[in-house]
Amino acid sequence: MANTITQNRLYKDRLFVTIYGKETEQSKKWRLDLYNALNDSHYTDPDAIELTTIDNIIYITMHNDVSFLIDNQMNLYEQQSTYNPNLPLRGMMYFAQLYQMYLSKRGIDLFRTSLIKIPTPKFIVFYIGDIECPDMVKLKLSDAFYQKGAEHEAGEFEWTATMLNINIGHNNELHKKCKSLYDYCKYVDTIKQNLKKMSRQEAIENAVDEAIKQKLLGDFFKNQRMEIMNMSLTEFDQEEYDRNRREEGREQGKTEGAHEKAVESARNLLSMNLGTPKQIAQANGLPLEEVLELQKEIMVGK
């Protein structure tokens, strides 16, 4: 089961992107509703959003982020079922790739002498895990810096990730402003409550049936019942696996397949010069020595 797990994204992330990260008319509307709710804006044209989703840039557990451009702001939305203090570092690496795509698409020369104007970055993480967290947490890249003090002020370089707890009972105002987000969270919460008294299969089937009955996300659950069921079953296979890892005291346990993907991701980042070996090792959960060896291999091959 472990290899299957490492090759699949958590259903919450996959379902999140199915809702907000597709080019269907319904997804466009939900995406615009979510943007308006987060920014207290009132845009009405779903086609005003340019979707620029990136898949599988850093490692497999990040392949379902939702990014888009609107009003000269570059937004990256990611759903997380676990708390991760490395989100700012991951976000910085993602945005480096997004900006590279942005400049390339517009034929902008990075070495021109005039100032290049770029969209303002905004990294939002939607947290829906089981560990109790405040409604909002600002995670800062500077918290990871080795050197701190007056001579190394965070203002010299900072990158943030805003984590919003979207579990039922948290960020109620946001849920009121964005019904699609509330409906999504209600479905997840129903599964969590069902698991206290049912098997995984029964808990998910019941949650989907309840979502259809309550018309959560309109007819979305009715029209995609089997796909959503499969996503959900994959998720709870993953959660059971993660619980076993934690009980065994391994913070980031790996299967052989996961390690291969981490190595592949590190090799790609080194080839693109996106981060130092130490940063790439941390982002991919690899020993620094292994990343340095990969760097030597790449240099020899050039």
Short mmCIF file of all heavy atoms in Angstrom, two decimals, residues 240-296:
data_model
loop_
_atom_site.label_atom_id
_atom_site.label_comp_id
_atom_site.label_asym_id
_atom_site.label_seq_id
_atom_site.Cartn_x
_atom_site.Cartn_y
_atom_site.Cartn_z
N GLU A 240 -3.91 7.02 7.45
CA GLU A 240 -3.58 5.87 8.28
C GLU A 240 -2.07 5.59 8.21
O GLU A 240 -1.43 5.30 9.23
CB GLU A 240 -4.37 4.65 7.82
CG GLU A 240 -4.11 3.41 8.66
CD GLU A 240 -4.92 2.21 8.20
OE1 GLU A 240 -5.73 2.37 7.27
OE2 GLU A 240 -4.73 1.13 8.76
N TYR A 241 -1.54 5.70 7.03
CA TYR A 241 -0.10 5.50 6.84
C TYR A 241 0.71 6.54 7.64
O TYR A 241 1.68 6.21 8.31
CB TYR A 241 0.21 5.60 5.34
CG TYR A 241 1.69 5.57 5.01
CD1 TYR A 241 2.42 4.40 5.13
CD2 TYR A 241 2.33 6.71 4.54
CE1 TYR A 241 3.77 4.36 4.80
CE2 TYR A 241 3.67 6.69 4.22
CZ TYR A 241 4.38 5.50 4.34
OH TYR A 241 5.71 5.49 4.01
N ASP A 242 0.28 7.80 7.57
CA ASP A 242 0.98 8.86 8.29
C ASP A 242 0.91 8.65 9.80
O ASP A 242 1.89 8.90 10.52
CB ASP A 242 0.37 10.23 7.94
CG ASP A 242 0.76 10.68 6.54
OD1 ASP A 242 1.73 10.12 5.99
OD2 ASP A 242 0.10 11.58 6.00
N ARG A 243 -0.23 8.19 10.29
CA ARG A 243 -0.35 7.95 11.73
C ARG A 243 0.62 6.87 12.17
O ARG A 243 1.26 6.97 13.22
CB ARG A 243 -1.79 7.53 12.08
CG ARG A 243 -2.76 8.69 12.23
CD ARG A 243 -4.03 8.24 12.93
NE ARG A 243 -4.71 7.19 12.21
CZ ARG A 243 -5.60 7.42 11.25
NH1 ARG A 243 -5.89 8.65 10.90
NH2 ARG A 243 -6.20 6.42 10.65
N ASN A 244 0.75 5.82 11.37
CA ASN A 244 1.70 4.76 11.70
C ASN A 244 3.13 5.27 11.71
O ASN A 244 3.93 4.88 12.55
CB ASN A 244 1.56 3.61 10.69
CG ASN A 244 0.25 2.86 10.85
OD1 ASN A 244 -0.35 2.87 11.93
ND2 ASN A 244 -0.21 2.23 9.77
N ARG A 245 3.45 6.14 10.78
CA ARG A 245 4.79 6.71 10.74
C ARG A 245 5.08 7.51 12.01
O ARG A 245 6.15 7.41 12.59
CB ARG A 245 4.95 7.64 9.53
CG ARG A 245 5.02 6.90 8.20
CD ARG A 245 5.52 7.81 7.12
NE ARG A 245 4.75 9.06 7.07
CZ ARG A 245 5.03 10.06 6.26
NH1 ARG A 245 6.07 9.99 5.46
NH2 ARG A 245 4.28 11.13 6.25
N ARG A 246 4.11 8.32 12.42
CA ARG A 246 4.32 9.15 13.61
C ARG A 246 4.47 8.29 14.85
O ARG A 246 5.29 8.57 15.72
CB ARG A 246 3.16 10.14 13.77
CG ARG A 246 3.16 11.26 12.74
CD ARG A 246 2.20 12.36 13.13
NE ARG A 246 0.83 11.91 13.11
CZ ARG A 246 0.04 11.99 12.05
NH1 ARG A 246 0.50 12.49 10.92
NH2 ARG A 246 -1.22 11.59 12.10
N GLU A 247 3.66 7.24 14.95
CA GLU A 247 3.75 6.36 16.11
C GLU A 247 5.11 5.68 16.18
O GLU A 247 5.59 5.35 17.25
CB GLU A 247 2.63 5.30 16.04
CG GLU A 247 1.25 5.90 16.30
CD GLU A 247 0.14 4.92 15.98
OE1 GLU A 247 0.47 3.78 15.61
OE2 GLU A 247 -1.04 5.29 16.10
N GLU A 248 5.70 5.45 15.04
CA GLU A 248 7.02 4.83 15.00
C GLU A 248 8.13 5.85 15.21
O GLU A 248 9.30 5.52 15.17
CB GLU A 248 7.22 4.11 13.66
CG GLU A 248 6.30 2.92 13.49
CD GLU A 248 6.28 2.42 12.05
OE1 GLU A 248 7.03 2.98 11.23
OE2 GLU A 248 5.53 1.48 11.77
N GLY A 249 7.75 7.12 15.40
CA GLY A 249 8.73 8.16 15.69
C GLY A 249 9.47 8.69 14.49
O GLY A 249 10.51 9.32 14.65
N ARG A 250 8.94 8.47 13.29
CA ARG A 250 9.60 8.97 12.10
C ARG A 250 8.83 10.17 11.58
O ARG A 250 7.73 10.03 11.09
CB ARG A 250 9.66 7.90 11.02
CG ARG A 250 10.61 6.77 11.36
CD ARG A 250 10.57 5.70 10.30
NE ARG A 250 9.29 4.98 10.35
CZ ARG A 250 8.79 4.33 9.31
NH1 ARG A 250 9.41 4.34 8.18
NH2 ARG A 250 7.65 3.68 9.43
N GLU A 251 9.43 11.34 11.68
CA GLU A 251 8.76 12.58 11.29
C GLU A 251 8.49 12.61 9.79
O GLU A 251 7.47 13.10 9.35
CB GLU A 251 9.64 13.78 11.68
CG GLU A 251 8.99 15.11 11.35
CD GLU A 251 9.90 16.26 11.70
OE1 GLU A 251 10.97 15.99 12.28
OE2 GLU A 251 9.52 17.40 11.41
N GLN A 252 9.42 12.13 9.00
CA GLN A 252 9.24 12.14 7.56
C GLN A 252 9.64 10.79 6.98
O GLN A 252 10.60 10.65 6.20
CB GLN A 252 10.10 13.23 6.91
CG GLN A 252 9.68 14.64 7.25
CD GLN A 252 8.33 14.94 6.62
OE1 GLN A 252 7.98 14.40 5.58
NE2 GLN A 252 7.57 15.80 7.25
N GLY A 253 8.91 9.74 7.36
CA GLY A 253 9.20 8.41 6.84
C GLY A 253 9.04 8.36 5.34
O GLY A 253 8.19 9.01 4.77
N LYS A 254 9.89 7.57 4.71
CA LYS A 254 9.87 7.52 3.26
C LYS A 254 9.78 6.07 2.77
O LYS A 254 10.34 5.18 3.37
CB LYS A 254 11.16 8.12 2.67
CG LYS A 254 11.40 9.55 3.05
CD LYS A 254 12.77 9.95 2.55
CE LYS A 254 13.11 11.33 3.05
NZ LYS A 254 14.50 11.69 2.69
N THR A 255 9.11 5.87 1.69
CA THR A 255 9.17 4.61 0.97
C THR A 255 10.21 4.76 -0.13
O THR A 255 10.66 5.87 -0.43
CB THR A 255 7.81 4.28 0.34
OG1 THR A 255 7.53 5.30 -0.62
CG2 THR A 255 6.71 4.22 1.39
N GLU A 256 10.56 3.66 -0.75
CA GLU A 256 11.56 3.74 -1.82
C GLU A 256 11.07 4.64 -2.95
O GLU A 256 11.83 5.44 -3.50
CB GLU A 256 11.84 2.34 -2.36
CG GLU A 256 12.90 2.32 -3.46
CD GLU A 256 13.18 0.92 -3.95
OE1 GLU A 256 12.70 -0.03 -3.30
OE2 GLU A 256 13.89 0.78 -4.96
N GLY A 257 9.79 4.52 -3.27
CA GLY A 257 9.24 5.36 -4.34
C GLY A 257 9.28 6.82 -3.98
O GLY A 257 9.59 7.67 -4.83
N ALA A 258 8.97 7.17 -2.73
CA ALA A 258 8.99 8.56 -2.30
C ALA A 258 10.40 9.12 -2.37
O ALA A 258 10.61 10.27 -2.75
CB ALA A 258 8.42 8.68 -0.89
N HIS A 259 11.38 8.30 -2.00
CA HIS A 259 12.77 8.75 -2.03
C HIS A 259 13.21 9.04 -3.46
O HIS A 259 13.89 10.04 -3.74
CB HIS A 259 13.68 7.70 -1.40
CG HIS A 259 15.12 8.08 -1.42
ND1 HIS A 259 16.01 7.60 -2.36
CD2 HIS A 259 15.83 8.92 -0.62
CE1 HIS A 259 17.20 8.12 -2.14
NE2 HIS A 259 17.12 8.92 -1.09
N GLU A 260 12.80 8.18 -4.38
CA GLU A 260 13.16 8.39 -5.78
C GLU A 260 12.57 9.70 -6.30
O GLU A 260 13.24 10.44 -7.03
CB GLU A 260 12.66 7.22 -6.63
CG GLU A 260 13.42 5.92 -6.36
CD GLU A 260 12.81 4.75 -7.10
OE1 GLU A 260 11.75 4.94 -7.74
OE2 GLU A 260 13.38 3.66 -7.03
N LYS A 261 11.34 10.00 -5.92
CA LYS A 261 10.72 11.24 -6.35
C LYS A 261 11.41 12.45 -5.72
O LYS A 261 11.55 13.49 -6.36
CB LYS A 261 9.23 11.23 -6.00
CG LYS A 261 8.43 10.23 -6.81
CD LYS A 261 6.97 10.23 -6.41
CE LYS A 261 6.20 9.16 -7.18
NZ LYS A 261 6.25 9.38 -8.64
N ALA A 262 11.82 12.33 -4.46
CA ALA A 262 12.54 13.41 -3.80
C ALA A 262 13.86 13.68 -4.49
O ALA A 262 14.26 14.84 -4.68
CB ALA A 262 12.76 13.08 -2.32
N VAL A 263 14.56 12.62 -4.88
CA VAL A 263 15.84 12.76 -5.59
C VAL A 263 15.62 13.43 -6.95
O VAL A 263 16.38 14.32 -7.35
CB VAL A 263 16.52 11.39 -5.77
CG1 VAL A 263 17.72 11.50 -6.71
CG2 VAL A 263 16.95 10.83 -4.42
N GLU A 264 14.58 13.00 -7.65
CA GLU A 264 14.27 13.59 -8.95
C GLU A 264 13.96 15.08 -8.82
O GLU A 264 14.41 15.91 -9.61
CB GLU A 264 13.08 12.87 -9.58
CG GLU A 264 12.69 13.43 -10.95
CD GLU A 264 11.48 12.72 -11.53
OE1 GLU A 264 10.99 11.78 -10.88
OE2 GLU A 264 11.02 13.13 -12.61
N SER A 265 13.17 15.43 -7.79
CA SER A 265 12.83 16.83 -7.54
C SER A 265 14.08 17.65 -7.22
O SER A 265 14.27 18.75 -7.74
CB SER A 265 11.83 16.94 -6.38
OG SER A 265 11.63 18.28 -6.02
N ALA A 266 14.95 17.11 -6.36
CA ALA A 266 16.19 17.81 -6.00
C ALA A 266 17.06 18.02 -7.23
O ALA A 266 17.65 19.10 -7.40
CB ALA A 266 16.94 17.01 -4.93
N ARG A 267 17.15 17.02 -8.08
CA ARG A 267 17.97 17.13 -9.29
C ARG A 267 17.43 18.24 -10.20
O ARG A 267 18.21 19.04 -10.76
CB ARG A 267 18.00 15.80 -10.04
CG ARG A 267 18.88 15.82 -11.28
CD ARG A 267 18.93 14.48 -11.98
NE ARG A 267 19.72 13.50 -11.24
CZ ARG A 267 19.24 12.46 -10.60
NH1 ARG A 267 17.93 12.27 -10.57
NH2 ARG A 267 20.02 11.60 -9.97
N ASN A 268 16.11 18.33 -10.34
CA ASN A 268 15.50 19.37 -11.16
C ASN A 268 15.78 20.76 -10.59
O ASN A 268 16.10 21.70 -11.34
CB ASN A 268 13.99 19.16 -11.27
CG ASN A 268 13.64 17.94 -12.11
OD1 ASN A 268 14.43 17.50 -12.94
ND2 ASN A 268 12.47 17.38 -11.89
N LEU A 269 15.64 20.91 -9.27
CA LEU A 269 15.88 22.20 -8.64
C LEU A 269 17.34 22.62 -8.78
O LEU A 269 17.64 23.79 -9.02
CB LEU A 269 15.48 22.15 -7.17
CG LEU A 269 13.98 22.05 -6.90
CD1 LEU A 269 13.72 21.79 -5.42
CD2 LEU A 269 13.26 23.32 -7.33
N LEU A 270 18.26 21.67 -8.64
CA LEU A 270 19.68 21.98 -8.81
C LEU A 270 19.97 22.40 -10.25
O LEU A 270 20.73 23.35 -10.48
CB LEU A 270 20.53 20.74 -8.46
CG LEU A 270 20.64 20.39 -6.97
CD1 LEU A 270 21.24 19.01 -6.80
CD2 LEU A 270 21.48 21.43 -6.23
N SER A 271 19.36 21.73 -11.21
CA SER A 271 19.58 22.06 -12.62
C SER A 271 19.09 23.46 -12.94
O SER A 271 19.66 24.15 -13.79
CB SER A 271 18.86 21.04 -13.52
OG SER A 271 19.38 19.74 -13.30
N MET A 272 18.01 23.90 -12.26
CA MET A 272 17.44 25.22 -12.50
C MET A 272 18.03 26.28 -11.58
O MET A 272 17.61 27.44 -11.61
CB MET A 272 15.92 25.18 -12.35
CG MET A 272 15.21 24.33 -13.38
SD MET A 272 13.40 24.43 -13.26
CE MET A 272 13.14 23.55 -11.70
N ASN A 273 18.98 25.87 -10.71
CA ASN A 273 19.59 26.80 -9.75
C ASN A 273 18.55 27.46 -8.84
O ASN A 273 18.64 28.64 -8.51
CB ASN A 273 20.40 27.88 -10.48
CG ASN A 273 21.63 27.31 -11.14
OD1 ASN A 273 22.32 26.46 -10.57
ND2 ASN A 273 21.92 27.77 -12.35
N LEU A 274 17.53 26.69 -8.46
CA LEU A 274 16.48 27.21 -7.58
C LEU A 274 16.76 26.79 -6.14
O LEU A 274 16.26 25.80 -5.65
CB LEU A 274 15.10 26.69 -8.03
CG LEU A 274 14.58 27.25 -9.34
CD1 LEU A 274 13.23 26.65 -9.69
CD2 LEU A 274 14.45 28.77 -9.25
N GLY A 275 17.60 27.57 -5.46
CA GLY A 275 17.92 27.30 -4.07
C GLY A 275 19.31 26.72 -3.90
O GLY A 275 19.91 26.18 -4.83
N THR A 276 19.84 26.85 -2.69
CA THR A 276 21.13 26.27 -2.36
C THR A 276 20.95 24.78 -2.09
O THR A 276 19.83 24.31 -1.84
CB THR A 276 21.71 26.94 -1.12
OG1 THR A 276 20.88 26.61 0.01
CG2 THR A 276 21.79 28.45 -1.27
N PRO A 277 22.04 24.00 -2.12
CA PRO A 277 21.91 22.57 -1.79
C PRO A 277 21.27 22.35 -0.43
O PRO A 277 20.48 21.42 -0.25
CB PRO A 277 23.37 22.09 -1.82
CG PRO A 277 24.02 22.98 -2.83
CD PRO A 277 23.39 24.33 -2.61
N LYS A 278 21.61 23.20 0.54
CA LYS A 278 21.03 23.04 1.88
C LYS A 278 19.52 23.26 1.85
O LYS A 278 18.75 22.51 2.45
CB LYS A 278 21.69 24.03 2.85
CG LYS A 278 21.23 23.85 4.29
CD LYS A 278 21.97 24.81 5.22
CE LYS A 278 23.45 24.44 5.30
NZ LYS A 278 24.19 25.28 6.27
N GLN A 279 19.04 24.31 1.12
CA GLN A 279 17.61 24.58 1.02
C GLN A 279 16.89 23.46 0.29
O GLN A 279 15.80 23.03 0.68
CB GLN A 279 17.40 25.91 0.28
CG GLN A 279 17.83 27.13 1.08
CD GLN A 279 17.82 28.39 0.23
OE1 GLN A 279 17.99 28.34 -0.98
NE2 GLN A 279 17.63 29.53 0.88
N ILE A 280 17.50 22.97 -0.78
CA ILE A 280 16.89 21.90 -1.57
C ILE A 280 16.81 20.60 -0.76
O ILE A 280 15.83 19.86 -0.82
CB ILE A 280 17.67 21.69 -2.88
CG1 ILE A 280 17.49 22.93 -3.78
CG2 ILE A 280 17.20 20.44 -3.61
CD1 ILE A 280 18.38 22.94 -5.00
N ALA A 281 17.86 20.35 0.03
CA ALA A 281 17.85 19.16 0.89
C ALA A 281 16.71 19.24 1.90
O ALA A 281 15.98 18.28 2.13
CB ALA A 281 19.19 19.03 1.61
N GLN A 282 16.54 20.42 2.51
CA GLN A 282 15.49 20.60 3.51
C GLN A 282 14.11 20.48 2.87
O GLN A 282 13.22 19.83 3.42
CB GLN A 282 15.63 21.98 4.16
CG GLN A 282 14.59 22.24 5.25
CD GLN A 282 14.74 23.63 5.85
OE1 GLN A 282 15.46 24.47 5.34
NE2 GLN A 282 14.04 23.86 6.94
N ALA A 283 13.91 21.08 1.71
CA ALA A 283 12.60 21.07 1.06
C ALA A 283 12.18 19.67 0.64
O ALA A 283 11.00 19.34 0.61
CB ALA A 283 12.61 21.99 -0.16
N ASN A 284 13.16 18.81 0.31
CA ASN A 284 12.84 17.47 -0.18
C ASN A 284 13.05 16.37 0.85
O ASN A 284 12.85 15.20 0.56
CB ASN A 284 13.68 17.16 -1.42
CG ASN A 284 13.23 17.96 -2.62
OD1 ASN A 284 12.27 17.61 -3.29
ND2 ASN A 284 13.91 19.07 -2.89
N GLY A 285 13.48 16.75 2.07
CA GLY A 285 13.68 15.75 3.11
C GLY A 285 14.84 14.82 2.82
O GLY A 285 14.80 13.64 3.18
N LEU A 286 15.89 15.33 2.17
CA LEU A 286 17.05 14.52 1.83
C LEU A 286 18.26 14.96 2.64
O LEU A 286 18.37 16.12 3.03
CB LEU A 286 17.39 14.67 0.33
CG LEU A 286 16.37 14.12 -0.67
CD1 LEU A 286 16.77 14.53 -2.08
CD2 LEU A 286 16.27 12.60 -0.57
N PRO A 287 19.21 14.05 2.89
CA PRO A 287 20.46 14.45 3.56
C PRO A 287 21.23 15.42 2.67
O PRO A 287 21.24 15.28 1.44
CB PRO A 287 21.22 13.13 3.71
CG PRO A 287 20.18 12.05 3.59
CD PRO A 287 19.15 12.59 2.64
N LEU A 288 21.87 16.41 3.27
CA LEU A 288 22.63 17.39 2.51
C LEU A 288 23.71 16.71 1.67
O LEU A 288 23.97 17.10 0.52
CB LEU A 288 23.27 18.41 3.46
CG LEU A 288 24.16 19.48 2.82
CD1 LEU A 288 23.40 20.27 1.77
CD2 LEU A 288 24.74 20.40 3.89
N GLU A 289 24.35 15.67 2.24
CA GLU A 289 25.41 14.97 1.53
C GLU A 289 24.89 14.38 0.21
O GLU A 289 25.59 14.39 -0.81
CB GLU A 289 25.99 13.85 2.40
CG GLU A 289 26.73 14.33 3.64
CD GLU A 289 25.77 14.76 4.75
OE1 GLU A 289 24.56 14.45 4.64
OE2 GLU A 289 26.24 15.38 5.71
N GLU A 290 23.67 13.87 0.23
CA GLU A 290 23.11 13.27 -0.98
C GLU A 290 22.86 14.33 -2.05
O GLU A 290 23.11 14.09 -3.25
CB GLU A 290 21.81 12.54 -0.65
CG GLU A 290 21.25 11.72 -1.81
CD GLU A 290 20.09 10.84 -1.39
OE1 GLU A 290 19.68 10.93 -0.22
OE2 GLU A 290 19.61 10.07 -2.23
N VAL A 291 22.38 15.49 -1.62
CA VAL A 291 22.14 16.58 -2.57
C VAL A 291 23.45 17.10 -3.15
O VAL A 291 23.54 17.41 -4.34
CB VAL A 291 21.36 17.72 -1.88
CG1 VAL A 291 21.22 18.92 -2.82
CG2 VAL A 291 19.98 17.24 -1.45
N LEU A 292 24.49 17.18 -2.33
CA LEU A 292 25.80 17.62 -2.81
C LEU A 292 26.35 16.65 -3.85
O LEU A 292 26.98 17.06 -4.84
CB LEU A 292 26.77 17.77 -1.64
CG LEU A 292 26.49 18.94 -0.68
CD1 LEU A 292 27.40 18.87 0.53
CD2 LEU A 292 26.63 20.28 -1.40
N GLU A 293 26.11 15.36 -3.65
CA GLU A 293 26.54 14.37 -4.63
C GLU A 293 25.79 14.54 -5.95
O GLU A 293 26.38 14.42 -7.03
CB GLU A 293 26.32 12.95 -4.08
CG GLU A 293 27.33 12.52 -3.02
CD GLU A 293 28.73 12.49 -3.56
OE1 GLU A 293 28.92 12.01 -4.72
OE2 GLU A 293 29.65 12.98 -2.86
N LEU A 294 24.48 14.83 -5.84
CA LEU A 294 23.69 15.09 -7.05
C LEU A 294 24.22 16.29 -7.79
O LEU A 294 24.30 16.32 -9.03
CB LEU A 294 22.22 15.33 -6.67
CG LEU A 294 21.41 14.11 -6.23
CD1 LEU A 294 20.05 14.56 -5.72
CD2 LEU A 294 21.23 13.15 -7.40
N GLN A 295 24.62 17.33 -7.02
CA GLN A 295 25.16 18.54 -7.64
C GLN A 295 26.45 18.23 -8.40
O GLN A 295 26.66 18.74 -9.51
CB GLN A 295 25.43 19.58 -6.54
CG GLN A 295 25.86 20.95 -7.09
CD GLN A 295 26.13 21.93 -5.98
OE1 GLN A 295 26.86 21.62 -5.03
NE2 GLN A 295 25.53 23.11 -6.06
N LYS A 296 27.30 17.38 -7.83
CA LYS A 296 28.53 16.99 -8.51
C LYS A 296 28.22 16.25 -9.82
O LYS A 296 28.86 16.49 -10.85
CB LYS A 296 29.37 16.09 -7.60
CG LYS A 296 29.98 16.80 -6.40
CD LYS A 296 30.78 15.81 -5.54
CE LYS A 296 31.33 16.50 -4.30
NZ LYS A 296 32.07 15.53 -3.43
#
